[in-house]
């Protein structure tokens, strides 16, 4: 029996085809350029202070909890005390700037 056959391991090339590797590489490059372009749109713009919370969910859960307990005023004042009368947040998947007081009127 030939010993080379016993110790031969399948190579990476035999498992993944070249067109698949090229396609995945191109998709990664396109996604990178898209993200860079989208991020550069907002570069240099001064945003108000605030927290966007978790991705997608944002601060929606805490807002809904405050609404169920009828404590939206406390929810709002907590952020006003922390960030000021103008702050950013993310509610229901949408980035939002909240204006309060004279600045909001």
């Amino acid at each position: 029996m030939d010993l080379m056959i016993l110790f031969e391991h399948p190579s990476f090339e035999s498992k993944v085809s070249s067109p698949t590797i090229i396609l995945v590489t191109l998709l990664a490059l396109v996604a990178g350029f898209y993200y860079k372009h989208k991020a550069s749109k907002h570069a240099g713009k001064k945003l108000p202070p605030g927290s966007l919370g978790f991705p997608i969910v944002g601060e929606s859960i805490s807002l809904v909890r405050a609404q169920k307990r009828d404590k939206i005023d406390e929810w709002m004042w907590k952020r006003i005390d922390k960030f000021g009368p103008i702050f950013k947040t993310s509610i229901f998947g949408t980035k939002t700037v909240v204006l309060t007081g004279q600045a909001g009127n």
Side-chain angles (χ1 to χ4, degrees):
M1 187 180 267
D2 192 11
L3 289 176
M4 289 303 290
I5 294 174
L6 292 175
F7 295 110
E8 188 177 315
H9 296 302
S11 67
F12 179 73
E13 295 172 13
S14 66
K15 292 182 181 179
V16 180
S17 66
S18 294
T20 304
I21 294 171
I22 292 170
L23 181 65
V24 169
T25 303
L26 288 174
L27 287 173
L29 287 171
V30 168
F33 284 125
Y34 175 76
Y35 177 76
K36 184 178 178 183
H37 173 70
K38 189 172 183 169
S40 68
K41 238 170 52 173
H42 301 294
K45 295 182 181 178
K46 187 176 177 186
L47 295 174
S51 172
L52 297 176
F54 293 111
I56 300 174
V57 176
E59 294 187 309
S60 303
I61 295 172
S62 65
L63 176 65
V64 170
R65 282 185 188 156
Q67 185 178 10
K68 284 183 178 181
R69 295 177 183 157
D70 197 27
K71 302 206 181 226
I72 291 182
D73 291 344
E74 289 179 23
W75 185 88
M76 187 70 75
W77 279 109
K78 185 177 177 184
R79 281 145 187 83
I80 292 171
D81 291 341
K82 191 172 185 179
F83 303 117
I86 302 172
F87 61 92
K88 68 182 174 191
T89 187
S90 178
I91 301 173
F92 303 113
T94 305
K95 294 176 184 173
T96 307
V97 174
V98 179
L99 306 165
T100 61
Q102 290 180 345
N105 289 327

